[in-house]
Amino acid sequence: MKKRNIFLQLALSATLLFSTVAYAAEITSTKDIPVGGSGQMEMVGTIEPTILSVTMPSFVPFNISNSLSTQNKVISPRINVKNNSNVPIQVDVAYTRVDLSKMKNTTWSNTGAVNANQIAIGLKQEEVENEMPTDLAHARWLHANEDQDMNVLILDANQEGAMYVVGTLGQDVSESATFNVTPTFVVRRTSTPEQ
Amino acid sequence: MSKGKKRTLIAIAILLLMALTVTICYFIFTKKAEPTSLVYDDNATAGIMPGVDLDQRRAELQTLLDRSMIAFSINTSPVFLNGTSEGNLLIENPGNNAKLLQISILIDDTSEEVYASKYLKPGTYIESVKLDKVLEKGTYNATAYFSAYDEDTGEFIGQTGAQITITVQN
């Protein structure tokens, strides 16, 4: 009986001993700081790069004609821009290459106001979904062959937006010839999203 | 009717028939010979006349624009340890693009090209690059231009840009 008690006590002691060791090992791995003592904890931070991710057109075709009865004389597709980034962006026109060499006696207007022999082309943010603008209010006018940095659209993170080509032309501008307008869109990260 | 008169009438009828045949043949063959050299008007413009069908014209333009849509990704602030080391540019041509992309980076102040990639197939990306020009320590505003090309023909479609800030640490 005495031997049996001693054996049981030893077995119990061994169980407790291993349990304690296991517990101690777990505490050691999280760097337990004793009460009244001091310790250092290393915190490692990694800076994640900000990725600009955008879907936008690289070519914008349009038609212009005096036969349109509206103030806006341009037939434009919907220029859709999608910000896939987690940061707000702005879309600017950095430069516009204009070639009017096939248009006799025709010049470009940077302001939207045209005389009989002038053409003006700009961009306008969508006001009614899927509807081409009929007027030229709030249009941003493209400057021919010079640096411009003109903002045309601001999008919040993961937001989608649209704009249209708008324009007008003087009554004496020939409609049988073609001309080329090539704006270069530049996307920038911005900190002030506009609603 | 005498025999002589009968012969004369038959002869006249034959002559009239022959004359009629010759006239018909003349009109038929001369009209066919006319359009051998077609001259097209230089002043004509291909497509639907503006104002005829606005919705159809707009749909055609939309198709052209949709084909030119490009998606791209880039790190807005790549960092280079020094002028000759690699930096984390992280440029991507996503798999849904269906276009080849070529990227060139120009410093805004000088318009100097400091990097030009070769063509990137859709569904590929470049994580780190070495610049083609050695830049001194500093921060540079630059624009990365993404030029899109047709995947099958290699034809240039269009271009768009993204502003970035390059940092060279040493």
Side-chain angles (χ1 to χ4, degrees):
Chain A
M1 190 67 180
K2 207 174 182 180
K3 276 184 182 176
R4 195 180 166 193
N5 281 341
I6 290 167
F7 175 76
L8 281 170
Q9 280 173 1
L10 277 171
L12 191 64
S13 303
T15 310
L16 286 171
L17 182 68
F18 285 119
S19 300
T20 310
V21 169
Y23 181 68
E26 195 182 329
I27 289 297
T28 307
S29 68
T30 55
K31 290 191 175 180
D32 195 22
I33 299 165
V35 177
S38 66
Q40 285 183 327
M41 186 163 59
E42 189 182 22
M43 294 175 73
V44 179
T46 307
I47 300 168
E48 282 295 318
T50 304
I51 306 294
L52 211 61
S53 186
V54 183
T55 306
M56 62 190 299
S58 58
F59 166 71
V60 183
F62 68 91
N63 288 165
I64 186 166
S65 171
N66 256 331
S67 64
L68 291 181
S69 57
T70 51
Q71 188 189 18
N72 174 27
K73 304 291 182 193
V74 166
I75 305 169
S76 166
R78 187 173 191 258
I79 306 168
N80 197 35
V81 181
K82 191 177 179 190
N83 179 15
N84 307 305
S85 326
N86 292 320
V87 291
I89 61 157
Q90 65 179 67
V91 181
D92 297 346
V93 173
Y95 187 87
T96 305
R97 189 166 56 80
V98 176
D99 181 7
L100 293 176
S101 59
K102 290 178 185 170
M103 310 281 290
K104 284 176 187 168
N105 304 319
T106 303
T107 56
W108 187 262
S109 163
N110 284 343
T111 61
V114 293
N115 64 30
N117 292 301
Q118 280 190 314
I119 290 178
I121 298 293
L123 292 159
K124 187 174 172 176
Q125 208 166 327
E126 185 176 64
E127 288 168 348
V128 182
E129 196 173 340
N130 277 321
E131 267 189 35
M132 231 166 45
T134 53
D135 62 68
L136 301 173
H138 310 299
R140 309 281 172 99
W141 298 102
L142 299 172
H143 291 193
N145 304 317
E146 61 182 48
D147 291 332
Q148 199 173 358
D149 274 345
M150 176 178 70
N151 176 245
V152 288
L153 202 60
I154 295 179
L155 295 173
D156 208 346
N158 299 302
Q159 197 190 5
E160 212 170 317
M163 57 187 163
Y164 293 87
V165 180
V166 292
T168 186
L169 73 170
Q171 59 199 18
D172 294 339
V173 174
S174 165
E175 292 188 37
S176 60
T178 58
F179 63 100
N180 291 315
V181 182
T182 317
T184 301
F185 292 108
V186 173
V187 182
R188 291 181 169 89
R189 187 183 168 183
T190 185
S191 53
T192 51
E194 199 177 76
Q195 295 297 323
Chain B
M1 193 182 281
S2 67
K3 216 173 183 180
K5 271 188 178 176
K6 226 177 184 180
R7 278 184 184 169
T8 311
L9 278 172
I10 290 168
I12 290 168
I14 290 169
L15 279 171
L16 280 171
L17 201 68
M18 282 174 70
L20 191 70
T21 310
V22 169
T23 311
I24 290 168
C25 286
Y26 172 79
F27 278 109
I28 289 171
F29 289 114
T30 50
K31 279 207 168 182
K32 271 189 178 175
E34 263 180 6
T36 49
S37 54
L38 289 173
V39 179
Y40 296 101
D41 199 322
D42 289 335
N43 212 21
T45 307
I48 305 160
M49 193 165 69
V52 170
D53 190 338
L54 201 72
D55 290 337
Q56 192 178 342
R57 172 54 62 92
R58 207 184 141 197
E60 285 178 358
L61 294 169
Q62 193 67 53
T63 306
L64 285 171
L65 182 129
D66 290 346
R67 275 189 207 145
S68 86
M69 291 294 280
I70 58 169
F72 63 86
S73 300
I74 189 166
N75 181 4
T76 56
S77 331
V79 177
F80 296 80
L81 193 62
N82 57 54
T84 55
S85 68
E86 287 194 339
N88 57 341
L89 195 58
L90 296 162
I91 44 177
E92 183 191 25
N93 183 3
N96 59 351
N97 236 357
K99 292 168 194 73
L100 301 173
L101 287 186
Q102 190 270 326
I103 297 96
S104 63
I105 297 175
L106 273 67
I107 300 295
D108 287 348
D109 287 344
T110 59
S111 295
E112 184 187 20
E113 187 182 74
V114 292
Y115 173 74
S117 77
K118 294 186 174 65
Y119 296 107
L120 267 76
K121 285 182 182 173
T124 61
Y125 68 95
I126 298 175
E127 193 171 340
S128 299
V129 301
K130 271 185 185 178
L131 297 177
D132 300 333
K133 297 275 162 82
V134 178
L135 292 176
E136 298 292 312
K137 179 183 175 181
T139 304
Y140 302 85
N141 287 328
T143 305
Y145 290 99
F146 293 79
S147 299
Y149 296 85
D150 186 284
E151 204 180 358
D152 299 321
T153 64
E155 188 187 352
F156 176 74
I157 298 169
Q159 181 184 262
T160 192
Q163 198 187 51
I164 60 171
T165 305
I166 297 172
T167 302
V168 180
Q169 288 180 325
N170 297 294

